Amino acid sequence: MQLCSFKINNNGQHSFGLIRENGIIDAGKYVDYSDLKAVLTAGALGEIATLSDKPADHQPDEITFLPVIENPGKILCVGMNYSEKRKEFGETNPAPTLFVRFADTLSAHNTPLQKPASSEQFDYEGELAVIIGKTAHQVPASEALQYVAGYSCFMDATVRDMQFTWFTAGKNWPATGGFGPSMTTTDEIPDPQQLDIKTFLNDQQVQHDSTGNMIHTVQDIIAYVTCFTPLAPGDVIITGSPGGVGKSRTPQLFMFPGDHISVEISKIGTLAHTIA
């Protein structure tokens, strides 16, 4: 099941629904939940699944996508989680590298990412996003995937000029975190370590790897994070970027206004943005 959050173009109303071949079913019409985060909090994904035979309410050109979870309570990001990326940056510390991203930095599918005017090093990082489905605290790795609602694409764009002063400063400029277009539920992705991930800048493939090459698996990350902080439904973990980022290339390759960037993950879809 693929679920998305959106704004209806003709009235500006926010809603959420199921993506089907013939359009989008507006789940907000049929159930008493304010948004997708509320659905997860109520443990009501099964209720949403019963709507899958309803007729489509909207076509893609009738809605504007919103971030899959509009206002996550926590967005935790893992750095240096692919071996090729670690080689590029000379990273040798085996422990997970964690930093935070704020909810007000999110940008939805087909809406612009904003390059800060002060930066000449606006870098791309395509990543797998994990969306938590129920409260998780001190969860063992062997049980961690039971707490996942689904998976999405993420463009963890980085202001490199600031990142090397402080990780968090390089990751929290407005509209620099692309999230979407939808969440694929775990029944369609039983093993998140078997996904193909690619990033394209102006139709040129710049990153390509398998999530099977993560140094810390999704379940290990959840166990590590929940040992010190509880996670709630709708919280998001960004699992790290493969090698091939612009900072490490010769010559270096960064994003500028007018460029097109996209992340494609098997079984999930493609998240696309223009740089503004």
Side-chain angles (χ1 to χ4, degrees):
M1 182 167 59
Q2 286 197 312
L3 303 173
C4 65
S5 299
F6 57 88
K7 179 175 66 176
I8 302 169
N9 291 341
N10 64 7
N11 62 16
Q13 180 180 344
H14 287 207
S15 192
F16 63 96
L18 294 84
I19 298 178
R20 310 294 289 172
E21 288 185 4
N22 62 342
I24 297 166
I25 299 170
D26 189 344
K29 288 176 51 177
Y30 302 102
V31 297
D32 191 23
Y33 303 107
S34 58
D35 55 22
L36 189 50
K37 183 177 174 179
V39 170
L40 299 182
T41 301
L45 281 178
E47 185 177 344
I48 303 304
T50 65
L51 305 174
S52 60
D53 291 332
K54 299 281 188 183
D57 296 290
H58 310 290
Q59 294 304 307
D61 61 356
E62 296 172 341
I63 61 101
T64 298
F65 282 96
L66 298 170
V68 180
I69 304 296
E70 292 186 63
N71 189 28
K74 294 176 183 174
I75 306 173
L76 294 169
C77 308
V78 182
M80 304 297 171
N81 200 28
Y82 288 80
S83 57
E84 289 303 313
K85 177 80 173 292
R86 283 184 172 240
K87 290 176 186 176
E88 289 177 353
F89 283 80
E91 178 63 57
T92 58
N93 184 354
T97 301
L98 294 181
F99 54 91
V100 297
R101 180 179 272 280
F102 306 138
D104 61 4
T105 69
L106 297 179
S107 186
H109 174 61
N110 280 341
T111 62
L113 295 182
Q114 296 181 12
K115 184 190 83 68
S118 60
S119 175
E120 295 301 313
Q121 295 188 1
F122 192 43
D123 208 347
Y124 51 84
E125 297 197 52
E127 310 195 17
L128 173 71
V130 178
I131 300 167
I132 299 298
K134 57 184 180 179
T135 301
H137 190 206
Q138 298 183 344
V139 172
S142 60
E143 300 174 10
L145 295 184
Q146 299 173 26
Y147 293 82
V148 177
Y151 304 94
S152 189
C153 302
F154 204 90
M155 171 46 61
D156 193 26
T158 305
V159 183
R160 296 286 184 203
D161 324 51
M162 289 292 291
Q163 187 187 29
F164 290 105
T165 302
W166 184 33
F167 268 156
T168 302
K171 295 288 188 176
N172 281 288
W173 295 68
T176 56
F179 186 20
S182 60
M183 177 184 81
T184 300
T185 50
T186 55
D187 57 306
E188 296 191 19
I189 304 178
D191 183 358
Q193 308 308 146
Q194 295 187 14
L195 303 174
D196 196 54
I197 180 169
K198 300 176 183 178
T199 302
F200 296 87
L201 177 59
N202 297 326
D203 298 323
Q204 173 190 351
Q205 181 177 293
V206 290
Q207 290 182 294
H208 183 202
D209 211 329
S210 167
T211 56
N213 291 326
M214 286 183 185
I215 294 167
H216 304 285
T217 64
V218 169
Q219 59 187 30
D220 287 339
I221 295 167
I222 292 172
Y224 182 79
V225 167
T226 63
C227 78
F228 66 87
T229 186
L231 294 176
D235 286 351
V236 182
I237 298 175
I238 313 304
T239 55
S241 175
V245 296
K247 177 73 175 180
S248 300
R249 290 176 173 263
T250 305
Q252 293 180 333
L253 181 63
F254 296 116
M255 301 186 293
F256 293 93
D259 286 344
H260 299 275
I261 190 72
S262 62
V263 185
E264 177 184 308
I265 304 180
S266 56
K267 299 184 180 180
I268 296 176
T270 300
L271 167 69
H273 301 278
T274 299
I275 307 304

